[in-house]
Amino acid sequence: MPDASAPLSITVNDRVVYPNQGVCRVTAIEPMEVAGQRLTFVTLRREEDGALVRVPQAKVVAIGLRKVATPEDVASIFAFLKADSDKADLDWKQRARTNVERMTSGGLLGLTEVVKGLAVLSELRPLPTKERELYDTARHLLVAELSAALNTAPCNAEDAVDVILFPPGRERPKRTAEEFRQRADVEGLELDEELLGLDTDLELPAEEEAPSEEEAAEEAPAEEEEEAAEAAPRKRGRPPKPKPAEAEAAAPKKRGRPPKAKPEVAEAAAPKKRGRPPKARAAEAEAAPAKKRGRPPKAKAEGAEKGARKKK
Amino acid sequence: MIRVVTLASYDEKQLEKFCRVLYTAFGVGCEHTGPLALPPDLKDPLDAEQALARAPLVRSYADDKVLYLTPRKLKDRELPSGTAPTTGFALYGQDKALLSTYGVKDLEAGQKLVARHAMQLLGHLWELHHCLDPRCAMYPPWTPSYPVGDAAFCTFCRDKSEQKIRLAKS
Protein backbone atom coordinates (compact mmCIF):
# COMPACT_ATOMS: atom_id res chain seq x y z
CA MET A 1 0.00 0.00 0.00
CA PRO A 2 1.27 3.51 -0.76
CA ASP A 3 2.34 5.58 2.23
CA ALA A 4 -0.27 8.27 2.92
CA SER A 5 2.17 10.62 4.61
CA ALA A 6 4.60 10.65 1.69
CA PRO A 7 4.30 13.56 -0.75
CA LEU A 8 2.43 12.65 -3.91
CA SER A 9 4.05 13.42 -7.24
CA ILE A 10 1.40 13.88 -9.88
CA THR A 11 1.87 14.60 -13.53
CA VAL A 12 -0.60 15.19 -16.31
CA ASN A 13 -2.29 12.00 -17.60
CA ASP A 14 -1.74 10.14 -14.33
CA ARG A 15 -4.63 8.05 -13.03
CA VAL A 16 -5.49 8.85 -9.45
CA VAL A 17 -8.20 7.89 -6.98
CA TYR A 18 -10.24 10.60 -5.29
CA PRO A 19 -11.80 9.28 -2.05
CA ASN A 20 -15.53 8.62 -2.41
CA GLN A 21 -15.45 9.74 -6.08
CA GLY A 22 -13.52 7.06 -7.88
CA VAL A 23 -10.84 6.89 -10.52
CA CYS A 24 -9.91 10.21 -12.14
CA ARG A 25 -7.37 11.26 -14.72
CA VAL A 26 -5.19 14.33 -14.21
CA THR A 27 -5.84 16.65 -17.13
CA ALA A 28 -3.89 19.73 -16.07
CA ILE A 29 -1.75 21.28 -13.34
CA GLU A 30 -1.96 25.02 -13.68
CA PRO A 31 -1.81 28.16 -11.55
CA MET A 32 -5.07 30.03 -11.11
CA GLU A 33 -6.15 33.15 -9.28
CA VAL A 34 -9.00 32.56 -6.86
CA ALA A 35 -10.26 35.27 -4.48
CA GLY A 36 -7.09 37.30 -4.97
CA GLN A 37 -4.83 34.35 -4.22
CA ARG A 38 -2.62 32.69 -6.78
CA LEU A 39 -2.72 28.94 -6.27
CA THR A 40 -1.68 25.91 -8.27
CA PHE A 41 -4.63 23.65 -9.03
CA VAL A 42 -4.68 20.05 -10.12
CA THR A 43 -7.53 19.49 -12.57
CA LEU A 44 -9.03 15.99 -12.54
CA ARG A 45 -11.63 14.42 -14.77
CA ARG A 46 -13.64 11.54 -13.36
CA GLU A 47 -13.41 8.60 -15.74
CA GLU A 48 -16.89 7.33 -14.98
CA ASP A 49 -18.84 10.35 -16.15
CA GLY A 50 -16.28 13.02 -17.10
CA ALA A 51 -17.04 15.29 -14.13
CA LEU A 52 -14.39 17.98 -13.55
CA VAL A 53 -12.71 18.42 -10.16
CA ARG A 54 -10.10 21.04 -9.23
CA VAL A 55 -7.95 20.55 -6.14
CA PRO A 56 -5.31 22.97 -4.79
CA GLN A 57 -1.97 21.21 -5.13
CA ALA A 58 -1.14 21.92 -1.48
CA LYS A 59 -4.19 19.93 -0.35
CA VAL A 60 -3.74 16.90 -2.57
CA VAL A 61 -2.37 14.71 0.22
CA ALA A 62 -4.71 16.08 2.89
CA ILE A 63 -7.85 15.07 0.99
CA GLY A 64 -6.52 11.57 0.47
CA LEU A 65 -5.83 11.70 -3.25
CA ARG A 66 -3.62 8.77 -4.24
CA LYS A 67 -2.42 6.90 -7.26
CA VAL A 68 -4.31 3.89 -8.57
CA ALA A 69 -3.36 0.66 -6.81
CA THR A 70 -0.69 -1.54 -8.34
CA PRO A 71 -1.28 -5.21 -9.31
CA GLU A 72 0.62 -6.19 -6.12
CA ASP A 73 -1.86 -4.22 -4.03
CA VAL A 74 -4.69 -5.97 -5.84
CA ALA A 75 -3.14 -9.35 -5.05
CA SER A 76 -3.09 -8.45 -1.36
CA ILE A 77 -6.74 -7.38 -1.61
CA PHE A 78 -7.71 -10.76 -3.06
CA ALA A 79 -5.72 -12.44 -0.28
CA PHE A 80 -7.65 -10.39 2.26
CA LEU A 81 -10.97 -11.37 0.67
CA LYS A 82 -9.97 -15.03 0.67
CA ALA A 83 -8.84 -14.93 4.30
CA ASP A 84 -11.28 -16.39 6.78
CA SER A 85 -11.73 -13.24 8.81
CA ASP A 86 -15.49 -13.10 8.74
CA LYS A 87 -16.01 -10.48 11.37
CA ALA A 88 -19.16 -8.41 11.52
CA ASP A 89 -19.96 -5.79 14.08
CA LEU A 90 -23.47 -6.22 15.45
CA ASP A 91 -23.52 -2.76 16.99
CA TRP A 92 -24.99 -0.69 14.16
CA LYS A 93 -23.69 2.64 15.48
CA GLN A 94 -20.14 1.41 15.75
CA ARG A 95 -20.41 -0.29 12.38
CA ALA A 96 -21.75 2.82 10.66
CA ARG A 97 -19.01 4.99 12.16
CA THR A 98 -16.25 2.61 11.14
CA ASN A 99 -17.60 2.20 7.63
CA VAL A 100 -17.91 5.94 7.07
CA GLU A 101 -14.34 6.41 8.27
CA ARG A 102 -13.13 3.73 5.89
CA MET A 103 -14.97 5.31 2.99
CA THR A 104 -13.68 8.80 3.77
CA SER A 105 -10.08 7.68 4.08
CA GLY A 106 -10.41 6.31 0.54
CA GLY A 107 -7.98 3.39 0.83
CA LEU A 108 -8.46 0.30 -1.31
CA LEU A 109 -8.24 -1.94 1.75
CA GLY A 110 -10.85 0.16 3.54
CA LEU A 111 -13.28 -0.27 0.63
CA THR A 112 -12.66 -4.00 0.63
CA GLU A 113 -13.29 -4.18 4.37
CA VAL A 114 -16.62 -2.40 3.93
CA VAL A 115 -17.67 -4.75 1.11
CA LYS A 116 -16.60 -7.88 2.92
CA GLY A 117 -18.00 -6.82 6.29
CA LEU A 118 -21.42 -6.03 4.88
CA ALA A 119 -21.45 -9.15 2.71
CA VAL A 120 -20.77 -11.25 5.81
CA LEU A 121 -23.45 -9.39 7.76
CA SER A 122 -25.96 -10.06 4.98
CA GLU A 123 -25.51 -13.78 5.65
CA LEU A 124 -27.14 -13.14 9.01
CA ARG A 125 -30.01 -10.91 7.86
CA PRO A 126 -30.87 -8.59 4.95
CA LEU A 127 -29.08 -5.27 5.11
CA PRO A 128 -31.07 -2.12 5.94
CA THR A 129 -31.47 0.37 3.11
CA LYS A 130 -28.70 2.74 4.20
CA GLU A 131 -26.19 -0.05 4.54
CA ARG A 132 -27.31 -1.59 1.28
CA GLU A 133 -26.60 1.75 -0.40
CA LEU A 134 -23.24 1.97 1.32
CA TYR A 135 -22.42 -1.57 0.17
CA ASP A 136 -23.33 -0.64 -3.38
CA THR A 137 -21.21 2.52 -3.32
CA ALA A 138 -18.21 0.71 -1.84
CA ARG A 139 -18.55 -2.08 -4.36
CA HIS A 140 -18.80 0.42 -7.21
CA LEU A 141 -15.61 2.22 -6.13
CA LEU A 142 -13.79 -1.05 -5.53
CA VAL A 143 -14.73 -2.49 -8.91
CA ALA A 144 -13.75 0.75 -10.69
CA GLU A 145 -10.33 0.77 -9.05
CA LEU A 146 -9.67 -2.92 -9.58
CA SER A 147 -10.65 -2.52 -13.20
CA ALA A 148 -8.22 0.38 -13.56
CA ALA A 149 -5.45 -1.42 -11.69
CA LEU A 150 -5.75 -4.67 -13.63
CA ASN A 151 -6.54 -2.89 -16.90
CA THR A 152 -9.54 -5.12 -17.49
CA ALA A 153 -13.28 -4.69 -18.06
CA PRO A 154 -15.32 -3.71 -14.98
CA CYS A 155 -17.41 -6.86 -15.44
CA ASN A 156 -14.27 -8.99 -15.04
CA ALA A 157 -13.17 -6.99 -12.01
CA GLU A 158 -16.54 -7.47 -10.34
CA ASP A 159 -16.58 -11.18 -11.09
CA ALA A 160 -13.05 -11.48 -9.69
CA VAL A 161 -14.34 -10.13 -6.38
CA ASP A 162 -17.51 -12.21 -6.43
CA VAL A 163 -15.77 -15.46 -7.28
CA ILE A 164 -14.29 -15.13 -3.80
CA LEU A 165 -17.32 -13.77 -1.97
CA PHE A 166 -19.76 -16.15 -3.70
CA PRO A 167 -17.70 -19.25 -4.57
CA PRO A 168 -19.04 -21.11 -7.65
CA GLY A 169 -21.15 -24.16 -6.92
CA ARG A 170 -21.55 -23.28 -3.25
CA GLU A 171 -24.36 -21.51 -1.44
CA ARG A 172 -23.56 -18.82 1.06
CA PRO A 173 -23.76 -20.08 4.63
CA LYS A 174 -26.64 -19.06 6.86
CA ARG A 175 -25.31 -17.47 10.00
CA THR A 176 -26.84 -16.91 13.39
CA ALA A 177 -26.53 -13.92 15.69
CA GLU A 178 -24.91 -16.16 18.29
CA GLU A 179 -21.83 -16.66 16.14
CA PHE A 180 -21.23 -12.93 15.93
CA ARG A 181 -22.21 -12.29 19.53
CA GLN A 182 -19.75 -14.80 20.97
CA ARG A 183 -16.96 -13.30 18.94
CA ALA A 184 -17.95 -9.77 19.95
CA ASP A 185 -18.13 -10.76 23.64
CA VAL A 186 -14.61 -12.15 23.65
CA GLU A 187 -13.27 -9.06 21.92
CA GLY A 188 -15.32 -6.77 24.15
CA LEU A 189 -13.93 -8.32 27.33
CA GLU A 190 -10.39 -7.84 26.23
CA LEU A 191 -11.09 -4.26 25.34
CA ASP A 192 -12.84 -3.53 28.62
CA GLU A 193 -9.93 -4.77 30.71
CA GLU A 194 -7.57 -2.60 28.80
CA LEU A 195 -9.76 0.45 28.91
CA LEU A 196 -10.74 0.17 32.54
CA GLY A 197 -7.23 -0.57 33.76
CA LEU A 198 -8.49 -2.85 36.53
CA ASP A 199 -5.01 -3.83 37.70
CA THR A 200 -4.15 -0.25 38.71
CA ASP A 201 -5.21 1.32 42.04
CA LEU A 202 -8.31 3.40 41.95
CA GLU A 203 -8.10 6.74 43.75
CA LEU A 204 -11.29 7.43 45.62
CA PRO A 205 -12.33 10.85 46.89
CA ALA A 206 -11.22 11.68 50.45
CA GLU A 207 -14.72 12.19 51.88
CA GLU A 208 -15.92 8.68 51.12
CA GLU A 209 -13.07 7.03 53.07
CA ALA A 210 -13.22 9.39 56.04
CA PRO A 211 -15.45 7.29 58.37
CA SER A 212 -13.07 4.31 58.36
CA GLU A 213 -10.18 6.54 59.36
CA GLU A 214 -12.14 8.03 62.21
CA GLU A 215 -13.22 4.67 63.49
CA ALA A 216 -9.63 3.52 63.55
CA ALA A 217 -8.59 6.62 65.42
CA GLU A 218 -11.29 6.15 68.06
CA GLU A 219 -10.56 2.50 68.69
CA ALA A 220 -6.83 2.87 68.88
CA PRO A 221 -5.37 4.13 72.14
CA ALA A 222 -3.63 7.46 72.28
CA GLU A 223 -0.21 5.94 71.98
CA GLU A 224 -0.99 4.09 68.80
CA GLU A 225 -2.58 7.12 67.21
CA GLU A 226 0.68 8.45 65.88
CA GLU A 227 1.68 5.09 64.41
CA ALA A 228 -1.69 4.68 62.74
CA ALA A 229 -1.45 8.15 61.25
CA GLU A 230 1.98 7.33 59.86
CA ALA A 231 0.89 3.97 58.48
CA ALA A 232 -2.25 5.32 56.78
CA PRO A 233 -1.54 6.73 53.34
CA ARG A 234 -1.88 10.44 53.12
CA LYS A 235 -4.72 11.68 50.96
CA ARG A 236 -4.92 14.75 48.88
CA GLY A 237 -7.30 17.58 49.53
CA ARG A 238 -8.88 18.93 52.68
CA PRO A 239 -8.68 16.72 55.77
CA PRO A 240 -12.05 15.27 56.85
CA LYS A 241 -13.95 17.19 59.50
CA PRO A 242 -14.43 15.48 62.84
CA LYS A 243 -18.03 14.35 63.21
CA PRO A 244 -19.98 14.08 66.43
CA ALA A 245 -20.73 10.64 67.84
CA GLU A 246 -24.44 10.97 67.00
CA ALA A 247 -23.69 11.57 63.39
CA GLU A 248 -21.73 8.31 63.19
CA ALA A 249 -24.63 6.36 64.55
CA ALA A 250 -26.95 8.05 62.09
CA ALA A 251 -27.75 6.67 58.67
CA PRO A 252 -25.27 7.34 55.85
CA LYS A 253 -25.34 10.83 54.49
CA LYS A 254 -27.62 11.68 51.65
CA ARG A 255 -26.70 14.10 48.98
CA GLY A 256 -28.25 17.55 48.77
CA ARG A 257 -29.45 19.96 51.41
CA PRO A 258 -29.77 18.53 54.91
CA PRO A 259 -33.37 18.34 56.22
CA LYS A 260 -34.51 20.97 58.72
CA ALA A 261 -34.80 19.98 62.33
CA LYS A 262 -38.49 19.74 63.30
CA PRO A 263 -39.71 20.51 66.82
CA GLU A 264 -41.55 17.73 68.64
CA VAL A 265 -44.73 19.77 68.88
CA ALA A 266 -44.79 20.31 65.19
CA GLU A 267 -44.37 16.57 64.64
CA ALA A 268 -47.34 15.85 66.89
CA ALA A 269 -49.54 18.48 65.23
CA ALA A 270 -51.79 17.62 62.35
CA PRO A 271 -50.47 18.41 58.92
CA LYS A 272 -50.86 22.02 57.95
CA LYS A 273 -53.77 23.06 55.84
CA ARG A 274 -53.46 25.52 53.10
CA GLY A 275 -54.94 29.01 53.26
CA ARG A 276 -55.33 31.51 56.07
CA PRO A 277 -54.48 30.13 59.51
CA PRO A 278 -57.49 29.89 61.89
CA LYS A 279 -57.83 32.57 64.63
CA ALA A 280 -57.00 31.62 68.15
CA ARG A 281 -60.21 31.52 70.16
CA ALA A 282 -60.44 31.99 73.90
CA ALA A 283 -62.35 29.47 75.97
CA GLU A 284 -65.03 32.07 76.77
CA ALA A 285 -65.45 33.04 73.20
CA GLU A 286 -66.05 29.47 72.34
CA ALA A 287 -68.74 29.24 75.03
CA ALA A 288 -70.51 32.49 73.87
CA PRO A 289 -73.14 32.30 71.10
CA ALA A 290 -72.19 33.12 67.67
CA LYS A 291 -72.00 36.80 66.78
CA LYS A 292 -74.78 38.33 64.73
CA ARG A 293 -74.00 40.38 61.71
CA GLY A 294 -74.92 44.08 61.39
CA ARG A 295 -74.83 47.03 63.82
CA PRO A 296 -74.23 46.13 67.45
CA PRO A 297 -77.22 46.79 69.79
CA LYS A 298 -77.16 50.08 71.77
CA ALA A 299 -76.15 49.85 75.37
CA LYS A 300 -79.13 50.86 77.60
CA ALA A 301 -78.28 52.97 80.68
CA GLU A 302 -80.12 52.52 83.97
CA GLY A 303 -81.06 56.27 84.06
CA ALA A 304 -82.87 56.04 80.82
CA GLU A 305 -84.93 53.22 82.13
CA LYS A 306 -85.95 55.32 85.19
CA GLY A 307 -86.98 58.33 82.99
CA ALA A 308 -89.30 56.15 81.06
CA ARG A 309 -91.01 54.97 84.19
CA LYS A 310 -91.61 58.62 85.29
CA LYS A 311 -93.35 59.46 81.98
CA LYS A 312 -95.71 56.60 82.53
CA MET B 1 -35.05 0.74 -25.86
CA ILE B 2 -33.78 -2.83 -25.59
CA ARG B 3 -32.81 -4.40 -28.91
CA VAL B 4 -32.49 -8.18 -29.02
CA VAL B 5 -30.18 -9.39 -31.78
CA THR B 6 -30.14 -13.14 -32.45
CA LEU B 7 -26.92 -14.72 -33.68
CA ALA B 8 -28.76 -17.90 -34.76
CA SER B 9 -32.33 -18.87 -35.57
CA TYR B 10 -34.82 -18.72 -32.71
CA ASP B 11 -38.59 -19.16 -32.75
CA GLU B 12 -40.23 -15.81 -33.38
CA LYS B 13 -43.12 -16.38 -30.97
CA GLN B 14 -40.78 -17.37 -28.17
CA LEU B 15 -38.68 -14.31 -28.85
CA GLU B 16 -41.78 -12.17 -28.63
CA LYS B 17 -42.56 -13.65 -25.25
CA PHE B 18 -38.97 -13.12 -24.13
CA CYS B 19 -39.12 -9.47 -25.17
CA ARG B 20 -42.34 -9.05 -23.20
CA VAL B 21 -40.63 -10.30 -20.04
CA LEU B 22 -37.81 -7.78 -20.48
CA TYR B 23 -40.30 -5.00 -21.13
CA THR B 24 -42.10 -5.86 -17.89
CA ALA B 25 -38.85 -5.98 -15.92
CA PHE B 26 -37.38 -2.66 -17.05
CA GLY B 27 -40.40 -0.71 -18.22
CA VAL B 28 -38.75 0.21 -21.52
CA GLY B 29 -39.59 -1.00 -25.01
CA CYS B 30 -38.01 -4.22 -26.21
CA GLU B 31 -37.96 -5.59 -29.74
CA HIS B 32 -36.28 -8.24 -31.81
CA THR B 33 -34.03 -6.35 -34.22
CA GLY B 34 -33.22 -9.33 -36.40
CA PRO B 35 -30.92 -12.28 -36.94
CA LEU B 36 -27.27 -11.57 -37.68
CA ALA B 37 -24.13 -13.72 -37.77
CA LEU B 38 -20.87 -13.68 -35.87
CA PRO B 39 -17.60 -13.65 -37.85
CA PRO B 40 -16.89 -17.25 -38.93
CA ASP B 41 -13.33 -17.30 -37.57
CA LEU B 42 -14.52 -17.27 -33.93
CA LYS B 43 -14.17 -20.79 -32.59
CA ASP B 44 -16.05 -22.65 -29.89
CA PRO B 45 -16.11 -22.14 -27.00
CA LEU B 46 -16.44 -18.44 -27.67
CA ASP B 47 -14.36 -15.91 -25.83
CA ALA B 48 -17.20 -13.70 -24.63
CA GLU B 49 -15.24 -10.46 -24.54
CA GLN B 50 -13.79 -11.01 -28.00
CA ALA B 51 -17.10 -12.14 -29.49
CA LEU B 52 -18.86 -9.07 -28.14
CA ALA B 53 -16.19 -6.81 -29.54
CA ARG B 54 -16.56 -8.39 -32.97
CA ALA B 55 -20.34 -8.79 -32.97
CA PRO B 56 -22.10 -7.18 -35.93
CA LEU B 57 -23.30 -3.65 -35.27
CA VAL B 58 -26.95 -2.77 -35.42
CA ARG B 59 -28.62 0.56 -35.86
CA SER B 60 -29.37 1.98 -32.43
CA TYR B 61 -29.85 5.33 -30.76
CA ALA B 62 -28.49 6.94 -27.61
CA ASP B 63 -29.33 4.94 -24.47
CA ASP B 64 -30.42 1.92 -26.51
CA LYS B 65 -29.17 -1.37 -25.10
CA VAL B 66 -28.29 -4.19 -27.47
CA LEU B 67 -28.50 -7.79 -26.28
CA TYR B 68 -26.95 -10.49 -28.48
CA LEU B 69 -28.34 -14.00 -28.11
CA THR B 70 -26.24 -16.97 -29.17
CA PRO B 71 -26.73 -20.72 -28.69
CA ARG B 72 -22.95 -21.28 -28.67
CA LYS B 73 -20.99 -22.08 -25.56
CA LEU B 74 -18.91 -19.38 -23.91
CA LYS B 75 -15.48 -20.01 -22.46
CA ASP B 76 -15.08 -19.64 -18.69
CA ARG B 77 -13.05 -16.57 -17.85
CA GLU B 78 -9.72 -16.86 -16.07
CA LEU B 79 -9.63 -14.08 -13.52
CA PRO B 80 -6.85 -13.17 -11.06
CA SER B 81 -8.88 -14.64 -8.21
CA GLY B 82 -10.11 -17.79 -9.95
CA THR B 83 -12.25 -19.07 -12.81
CA ALA B 84 -15.63 -17.49 -13.37
CA PRO B 85 -18.27 -19.67 -15.05
CA THR B 86 -19.54 -17.60 -17.99
CA THR B 87 -23.02 -17.52 -19.47
CA GLY B 88 -22.83 -13.95 -20.68
CA PHE B 89 -20.78 -10.81 -20.75
CA ALA B 90 -21.76 -7.14 -20.55
CA LEU B 91 -19.87 -3.92 -21.06
CA TYR B 92 -20.59 -2.33 -17.73
CA GLY B 93 -22.36 1.01 -18.09
CA GLN B 94 -22.25 0.83 -21.88
CA ASP B 95 -24.61 -0.50 -24.52
CA LYS B 96 -23.74 -4.08 -25.51
CA ALA B 97 -24.13 -7.49 -23.88
CA LEU B 98 -23.80 -11.08 -25.06
CA LEU B 99 -25.89 -13.95 -23.66
CA SER B 100 -25.45 -17.62 -24.38
CA THR B 101 -28.46 -19.95 -24.34
CA TYR B 102 -26.19 -22.98 -24.43
CA GLY B 103 -27.71 -25.87 -22.48
CA VAL B 104 -31.25 -24.56 -22.84
CA LYS B 105 -33.38 -26.71 -25.11
CA ASP B 106 -35.49 -23.83 -26.42
CA LEU B 107 -36.59 -20.44 -25.22
CA GLU B 108 -39.99 -21.84 -24.26
CA ALA B 109 -38.61 -24.45 -21.87
CA GLY B 110 -35.87 -22.35 -20.33
CA GLN B 111 -37.50 -18.99 -20.62
CA LYS B 112 -37.32 -18.18 -16.93
CA LEU B 113 -33.61 -18.88 -16.72
CA VAL B 114 -32.74 -17.11 -19.97
CA ALA B 115 -34.81 -14.09 -18.97
CA ARG B 116 -33.09 -14.02 -15.58
CA HIS B 117 -29.65 -14.07 -17.21
CA ALA B 118 -30.73 -11.41 -19.70
CA MET B 119 -31.99 -9.19 -16.90
CA GLN B 120 -28.67 -9.45 -15.14
CA LEU B 121 -26.68 -8.49 -18.25
CA LEU B 122 -29.02 -5.61 -19.04
CA GLY B 123 -28.78 -4.57 -15.39
CA HIS B 124 -24.98 -4.37 -15.78
CA LEU B 125 -25.53 -2.12 -18.79
CA TRP B 126 -27.52 0.16 -16.46
CA GLU B 127 -24.66 0.08 -13.93
CA LEU B 128 -26.19 -2.40 -11.50
CA HIS B 129 -23.80 -4.57 -9.52
CA HIS B 130 -24.27 -8.08 -8.20
CA CYS B 131 -26.85 -8.24 -5.46
CA LEU B 132 -26.85 -9.91 -2.04
CA ASP B 133 -30.41 -11.20 -2.36
CA PRO B 134 -30.58 -14.77 -3.78
CA ARG B 135 -34.05 -14.09 -5.20
CA CYS B 136 -32.83 -11.11 -7.25
CA ALA B 137 -31.81 -11.51 -10.89
CA MET B 138 -28.61 -9.59 -10.08
CA TYR B 139 -27.37 -12.34 -7.75
CA PRO B 140 -24.13 -13.95 -9.04
CA PRO B 141 -25.24 -16.41 -11.75
CA TRP B 142 -22.85 -19.23 -10.88
CA THR B 143 -24.50 -19.95 -7.52
CA PRO B 144 -26.60 -23.17 -7.28
CA SER B 145 -29.78 -21.31 -6.35
CA TYR B 146 -29.67 -18.96 -9.33
CA PRO B 147 -31.54 -21.12 -11.88
CA VAL B 148 -34.36 -21.68 -9.41
CA GLY B 149 -35.25 -18.00 -8.98
CA ASP B 150 -37.79 -15.92 -10.88
CA ALA B 151 -37.02 -13.32 -13.51
CA ALA B 152 -37.42 -10.39 -11.11
CA PHE B 153 -35.35 -7.79 -9.31
CA CYS B 154 -35.23 -7.12 -5.59
CA THR B 155 -36.61 -3.77 -4.44
CA PHE B 156 -33.20 -2.11 -4.28
CA CYS B 157 -32.13 -3.19 -7.78
CA ARG B 158 -35.52 -2.34 -9.28
CA ASP B 159 -35.40 1.16 -7.80
CA LYS B 160 -31.85 1.66 -8.98
CA SER B 161 -32.57 0.47 -12.52
CA GLU B 162 -35.63 2.72 -12.69
CA GLN B 163 -33.55 5.65 -11.50
CA LYS B 164 -30.85 4.97 -14.08
CA ILE B 165 -33.42 4.72 -16.84
CA ARG B 166 -35.06 7.96 -15.73
CA LEU B 167 -31.72 9.76 -15.72
CA ALA B 168 -30.82 8.57 -19.22
CA LYS B 169 -29.67 11.35 -21.48
CA SER B 170 -32.30 10.79 -24.12
Side-chain angles (χ1 to χ4, degrees):
Chain A
M1 290 287 149
D3 187 9
S5 60
L8 187 71
S9 61
I10 298 175
T11 52
V12 177
N13 268 333
D14 273 357
R15 284 174 109 186
V16 291
V17 178
Y18 194 113
N20 258 332
Q21 298 295 324
V23 181
C24 305
R25 191 175 283 277
V26 179
T27 54
I29 302 172
E30 54 196 356
M32 290 175 78
E33 197 170 323
V34 177
Q37 281 187 319
R38 197 155 181 80
L39 298 168
T40 307
F41 278 88
V42 178
T43 310
L44 312 166
R45 194 170 285 279
R46 197 160 63 178
E47 289 192 349
E48 184 187 331
D49 56 358
L52 201 71
V53 185
R54 282 203 178 93
V55 185
Q57 200 172 26
K59 293 204 170 184
V60 156
V61 177
I63 60 167
L65 202 74
R66 60 180 174 82
K67 288 197 173 178
V68 172
T70 58
E72 291 80 44
D73 296 337
V74 175
S76 70
I77 290 301
F78 287 143
F80 171 75
L81 283 172
K82 277 178 187 166
D84 192 25
S85 59
D86 47 354
K87 280 190 282 184
D89 199 346
L90 284 183
D91 179 10
W92 67 270
K93 264 187 191 172
Q94 180 64 32
R95 195 170 63 233
R97 203 180 301 135
T98 317
N99 285 342
V100 166
E101 276 171 17
R102 284 169 180 163
M103 295 290 287
T104 315
S105 65
L108 186 60
L109 185 63
L111 289 176
T112 317
E113 281 173 340
V114 172
V115 169
K116 188 175 181 183
L118 292 177
V120 168
L121 189 71
S122 74
E123 290 169 2
L124 173 67
R125 54 179 165 72
L127 296 181
T129 314
K130 280 281 170 193
E131 285 191 319
R132 181 68 183 81
E133 282 169 5
L134 180 71
Y135 172 81
D136 204 58
T137 311
R139 173 177 270 270
H140 183 75
L141 296 172
L142 178 66
V143 165
E145 186 164 359
L146 290 182
S147 165
L150 299 172
N151 199 19
T152 183
C155 224
N156 284 339
E158 180 167 35
D159 286 354
V161 172
D162 283 334
V163 159
I164 303 170
L165 290 179
F166 306 82
R170 219 190 313 159
E171 270 313 322
R172 296 171 79 206
K174 280 278 172 197
R175 292 178 190 270
T176 58
E178 281 305 310
E179 286 178 48
F180 294 110
R181 219 168 270 146
Q182 280 168 7
R183 206 168 292 135
D185 284 349
V186 171
E187 283 166 10
L189 278 174
E190 284 167 8
L191 194 67
D192 284 348
E193 276 173 8
E194 279 173 20
L195 282 177
L196 289 171
L198 289 174
D199 35 355
T200 58
D201 291 333
L202 292 175
E203 196 172 312
L204 294 172
E207 284 181 15
E208 287 179 18
E209 286 189 3
S212 64
E213 244 185 22
E214 282 170 12
E215 282 166 16
E218 278 175 13
E219 286 168 9
E223 295 168 1
E224 290 173 4
E225 264 183 15
E226 286 178 7
E227 289 172 16
E230 280 173 13
R234 282 202 164 187
K235 278 160 194 171
R236 288 180 190 174
R238 206 180 283 176
K241 288 177 184 176
K243 288 177 185 176
E246 292 165 18
E248 277 179 14
K253 258 189 175 182
K254 283 179 187 172
R255 284 193 179 184
R257 200 180 284 181
K260 285 179 183 176
K262 290 174 184 174
E264 286 179 12
V265 183
E267 279 174 16
K272 266 188 176 180
K273 284 177 186 174
R274 284 191 176 186
R276 200 180 283 180
K279 285 178 184 175
R281 287 177 189 172
E284 292 165 19
E286 278 175 11
K291 263 188 179 180
K292 284 177 185 174
R293 283 191 175 187
R295 200 179 281 179
K298 284 179 183 177
K300 288 171 186 176
E302 284 181 11
E305 282 178 10
K306 284 176 184 176
R309 280 174 199 163
K310 278 179 185 176
K311 279 178 186 176
K312 284 173 184 177
Chain B
M1 185 82 174
I2 299 166
R3 298 183 185 278
V4 179
V5 180
T6 48
L7 300 174
S9 63
Y10 285 93
D11 183 46
E12 199 63 38
K13 275 188 180 175
Q14 288 169 7
L15 273 175
E16 204 175 296
K17 223 175 180 179
F18 176 68
C19 287
R20 214 176 302 139
V21 174
L22 294 183
Y23 165 71
T24 313
F26 290 98
V28 294
C30 181
E31 69 173 19
H32 178 217
T33 302
L36 292 170
L38 275 174
D41 58 328
L42 291 172
K43 290 175 184 170
D44 281 345
L46 286 174
D47 181 346
E49 208 170 343
Q50 199 184 358
L52 190 59
R54 295 185 61 190
L57 294 175
V58 291
R59 190 173 182 176
S60 63
Y61 300 94
D63 297 321
D64 278 3
K65 306 293 179 193
V66 182
L67 177 70
Y68 294 97
L69 274 184
T70 177
R72 290 166 73 176
K73 191 177 192 287
L74 298 182
K75 194 166 69 181
D76 289 350
R77 282 165 297 152
E78 290 297 332
L79 302 172
S81 59
T83 307
T86 306
T87 48
F89 187 81
L91 296 177
Y92 186 86
Q94 295 180 33
D95 58 351
K96 278 197 295 186
L98 173 71
L99 172 62
S100 164
T101 57
Y102 180 80
V104 178
K105 200 175 173 184
D106 58 4
L107 277 183
E108 183 71 40
Q111 191 180 357
K112 201 167 74 173
L113 179 61
V114 174
R116 199 163 154 88
H117 278 297
M119 279 174 69
Q120 171 157 128
L121 293 172
L122 289 166
H124 284 320
L125 297 184
W126 269 298
E127 299 184 359
L128 265 67
H129 291 283
H130 284 165
C131 186
L132 292 165
D133 189 351
R135 291 166 297 178
C136 179
M138 294 309 294
Y139 197 66
W142 52 75
T143 48
S145 64
Y146 191 82
V148 184
D150 288 328
F153 285 131
C154 67
T155 318
F156 181 85
C157 293
R158 196 181 59 235
D159 288 351
K160 196 177 169 189
S161 73
E162 280 174 5
Q163 190 187 1
K164 290 285 178 187
I165 291 166
R166 263 203 310 275
L167 293 174
K169 286 170 195 162
S170 60

